[in-house]
Amino acid sequence: MKDIFDSCRFGDLKLNSRVIRTGLWESQREASGNLTPEIYNRYENIAASGVGLIITELYSLYPRDVFSKYSNTTHYTHFVREHRDLTNLVHDYDTSIFAQLGFVHYNKKTEQHVKIEDLTLEDILKIQTDMVIAAQKFDYAGFDGIQLGLGNYYFLSRFINPNFNTREDKYGGNTLNRLKIILQVIKVIKENTNLHINCRLNAFDDTVNGMTLTETINISKILEKYGVDSLQITRPRSPQYFTQENKQNNPLIDAASKIIDNVDIPVILGGGVTSQNQINQLINNSNIDFVSMQRPFVHDPSFLIDWQFEGNGQTTCKTCNNCYWKKTSTCHIKRQAKLNP
C-alpha cells in the first residue's frame, strides 16, 4: 500500500513524502525585501517536518503589483545571496524547494492594469524577459524548480483563458496561441537553467466561455509536450472554497484524476485535504500520488512530525481563512492565543 511518507520520484527529483507544501503570502520580510530570521526558521521547520517538496510563498514578478505588499520579489540587491542561504538550509534536510512566480496585473509606466487585448508585442516580450530573468535568479539561488502561476486569477491564468483573452493576433484565439506567451518562456528557461518547471493551473472556472476541464486537459498535454515537468491543479480563489463547511466536497479530486489520465508527468492535487487517513485513502484509491497543503503549514510548520508519530494525524488548522484574508504567513488564531493566554 502507498503511504504519504513514502520515498518517491517526482519527475527528476526524489521526495521524502507525497505532501507538497504550497505557500501564499510573505508577511515576515523586511520592508527592503530582505529575509528575516523568522523566515529562515519557518522554512527550516517545514523542511525538517518530513514534507516532500516546498513551494515558496509567492514571488511577485512586479514590485507595483497588487500582491507585492504581501509577497516577496526578486528586486533587491541581496536576493541571490540570501536565498542561496535559504535553499541550502532546506537542502540540509534532503528536501526540494521550488520558487513560486506570478503576478496579477501588468502596469506600464502611468498605465495601470493594462488589459490583455491592449498589450503590445513589446509588452509581451517584456513580460517574458522579466520572467526569464527571475528564473535565472532562482537558478543562481539554488532553487530546484520554479512554479509558474497560471492558475487562480493571476494575469497569466486570464491570458490563457478564452473568456478573458480576446486578442486577434498570434497570442489570441485557439489554445496554442493563447499559451504561446508561456510556451516561449518555458523554452528559454529550459535552455538556460537547470530548473524543474511546474505550472499551477485552474482545473476549471465559473466564467462564461471560460476554462472547462476539457480545455485544461488540452492545455496540460500541450504544456507537457513543450517541456513542463509537473503540474499543480487548483481553482480560482481556492482558499475561499475550502472552508470547514465545504471541505468534504472536493471537485478537484475528479478533475486532477482525469488530468493524470492524460499526461505522463506528476500532477499535484491542490488543496482540500486535512488528515493523514484522508490522504492515504486518496492515494490508494485513485491515481493521485501527490497532494498539497497551505494553511495547515501556516498554523503549524512542523505538524507532519506529529503525523509520523501518531499515524492518523489530523490538522488542527481551523480553516478560518484569516491568513488568506489578512495576507500573512502567520496564524492569527495562534497569535491571539499567545496574546490572551
Side-chain angles (χ1 to χ4, degrees):
M1 289 182 62
K2 297 178 183 176
D3 185 82
I4 65 172
F5 294 109
D6 288 339
S7 177
C8 51
R9 300 298 304 180
F10 187 82
D12 52 351
L13 302 173
K14 183 180 78 69
L15 306 189
N16 296 320
S17 80
R18 302 178 187 275
V19 177
I20 314 298
R21 181 271 193 172
T22 299
L24 187 55
W25 311 121
E26 184 55 89
S27 61
Q28 293 185 304
R29 78 198 195 300
E30 294 180 354
S32 60
N34 295 84
L35 303 184
T36 62
E38 290 80 9
I39 293 175
Y40 287 109
N41 289 339
R42 172 161 30 97
Y43 275 88
E44 182 171 19
N45 286 332
I46 296 171
S49 72
V51 73
L53 167 67
I54 294 174
I55 300 175
T56 66
E57 280 81 7
L58 175 67
Y59 289 93
S60 184
L61 186 63
Y62 295 115
R64 290 192 297 134
D65 191 27
V66 64
F67 285 161
S68 61
K69 298 178 188 176
Y70 320 108
S71 57
N72 217 326
T73 75
T74 62
H75 303 281
Y76 68 94
T77 304
H78 302 299
F79 176 87
V80 171
R81 188 187 71 187
E82 290 192 346
H83 284 79
R84 171 65 73 170
D85 291 339
L86 181 69
T87 57
N88 283 342
L89 181 64
V90 170
H91 290 153
D92 283 343
Y93 294 91
D94 197 26
T95 300
S96 298
I97 180 169
F98 291 0
Q100 179 188 168
L101 182 68
F103 65 108
V104 179
H105 297 296
Y106 179 69
N107 302 316
K108 182 169 61 173
K109 298 181 180 179
T110 59
E111 294 182 61
Q112 301 293 301
H113 303 180
V114 179
K115 294 180 180 180
I116 292 170
E117 61 266 28
D118 293 333
L119 289 175
T120 66
L121 294 181
E122 289 76 16
D123 294 331
I124 290 175
L125 180 59
K126 183 180 188 313
I127 290 170
Q128 293 174 318
T129 301
D130 292 339
M131 292 180 70
V132 170
I133 291 172
Q136 288 176 321
K137 288 184 178 181
F138 294 145
D139 193 33
Y140 296 152
F143 285 96
D144 301 288
I146 182 172
Q147 182 179 81
L148 302 176
L150 311 185
N152 307 111
Y153 274 126
Y154 289 172
F155 185 87
L156 291 175
S157 77
R158 301 196 305 277
F159 199 104
I160 67 176
N161 189 317
N163 184 61
F164 296 100
N165 185 339
T166 59
R167 298 178 67 94
E168 297 180 353
D169 63 356
K170 64 180 180 180
Y171 290 99
N174 63 45
T175 304
L176 188 60
N177 280 1
R178 286 183 278 110
L179 277 174
K180 192 169 294 184
I181 186 173
I182 192 65
L183 298 179
Q184 291 169 336
V185 169
I186 289 167
K187 181 178 186 294
V188 177
I189 293 176
K190 278 290 184 182
E191 290 174 348
N192 292 279
T193 76
N194 294 313
L195 296 172
H196 176 118
I197 299 179
N198 173 276
C199 287
R200 184 168 177 164
L201 280 175
N202 292 331
F204 43 76
D205 63 33
D206 300 316
T207 61
V208 178
N209 301 320
M211 294 290 290
T212 64
L213 179 56
T214 300
E215 178 69 350
T216 299
I217 289 173
N218 189 23
I219 287 173
S220 299
K221 291 160 71 174
I222 294 172
L223 289 173
E224 178 186 17
K225 178 181 178 182
Y226 280 79
V228 167
D229 299 293
S230 63
L231 302 170
Q232 182 177 16
I233 305 305
T234 184
R235 59 177 290 156
R237 300 191 176 98
S238 56
Q240 296 163 279
Y241 182 84
F242 294 124
T243 61
Q244 280 283 5
E245 294 76 19
N246 208 22
K247 67 183 180 181
Q248 298 303 319
N249 179 24
N250 186 351
L252 290 186
I253 292 176
D254 182 60
S257 181
K258 289 178 179 176
I259 292 169
I260 291 168
D261 284 338
N262 284 275
V263 296
D264 292 319
I265 54 177
V267 176
I268 305 166
L269 171 68
V273 291
T274 58
S275 74
Q276 189 168 356
N277 287 339
Q278 179 190 15
I279 297 171
N280 275 329
Q281 289 177 10
L282 179 65
I283 62 179
N284 281 289
N285 293 287
S286 74
N287 57 359
I288 295 171
D289 283 326
F290 303 98
V291 298
S292 70
M293 308 176 81
Q294 186 256 325
R295 289 167 297 177
F297 283 103
V298 177
H299 180 68
D300 179 6
S302 302
F303 76 92
L304 286 179
I305 293 176
D306 294 332
W307 282 26
Q308 291 186 69
F309 281 105
E310 294 170 4
N312 61 347
Q314 173 84 34
T315 177
T316 53
C317 172
K318 302 300 182 184
T319 327
C320 67
N321 277 340
N322 273 319
C323 59
Y324 175 79
W325 291 115
K326 297 180 185 297
K327 296 179 174 55
T328 66
S329 51
T330 55
C331 179
H332 290 263
I333 290 178
K334 294 185 73 172
R335 187 168 65 182
Q336 286 299 319
K338 289 181 180 179
L339 293 174
N340 303 292

